[in-house]
Amino acid sequence: MRFGWLAELSHPRAGKPALSTTKPIPKKMLERLFKLLEMTSLKDLAEVNSKEYVRWQSIKRGKARISAEEIEQLGKLYTSYRWWLMTGDVMPDKGQTSPDYDEANRNLTSQNAG
């Protein structure tokens, strides 16, 4: 799935415009994107010391804008979070959840186990 309409996003803490196009990206979507980035190891995104690794470091630190291709890469890494990333909604019956949804389910399962 391609996200060509997303153009480039900036880190929400960097104070830069959300998009280089005229359509601003919703703040909530940026928050979801960076939630995934915070829980992702750079090693999962690129080979250590590669050009891509340094780029992901800059994105995570709010020093660089993230491109549509990089958002796609996150979507491929977290296939069960794609719908949530784009809409903020979950569809557990379709295998589309969120980090918070999964955490809540883990907590319920551990409470029922004891």
Side-chain angles (χ1 to χ4, degrees):
M1 180 173 182
R2 299 213 36 107
F3 305 112
W5 59 273
L6 286 175
E8 288 187 356
L9 304 175
S10 67
H11 196 285
R13 290 174 247 156
K16 299 175 187 170
L19 282 176
S20 60
T21 65
T22 56
K23 285 187 173 184
I25 190 76
K27 183 179 178 183
K28 292 287 187 183
M29 185 180 198
L30 284 173
E31 290 170 1
R32 292 188 298 271
L33 175 67
F34 285 97
K35 182 174 188 119
L36 285 184
L37 277 176
E38 287 173 8
M39 59 187 256
T40 304
S41 167
L42 290 172
K43 292 177 186 177
D44 293 334
L45 298 168
E47 194 173 316
V48 177
N49 295 326
S50 68
K51 182 179 175 182
E52 293 80 18
Y53 187 90
V54 173
R55 172 131 176 90
W56 280 108
Q57 264 184 329
S58 296
I59 292 168
K60 284 185 88 165
R61 293 177 180 162
K63 304 291 183 191
R65 293 175 184 228
I66 189 165
S67 70
E69 288 78 19
E70 291 155 342
I71 295 170
E72 267 188 288
Q73 188 176 348
L74 273 177
K76 289 177 183 174
L77 185 61
Y78 294 104
T79 56
S80 65
Y81 296 157
R82 286 180 182 173
W83 183 251
W84 167 79
L85 177 61
M86 299 305 296
T87 67
D89 296 329
V90 296
M91 295 188 305
D93 57 319
K94 304 283 189 219
Q96 292 295 304
T97 61
S98 72
D100 292 338
Y101 182 93
D102 289 347
E103 179 67 23
N105 269 349
R106 275 192 294 277
N107 291 339
L108 285 175
T109 304
S110 64
Q111 287 176 1
N112 291 335

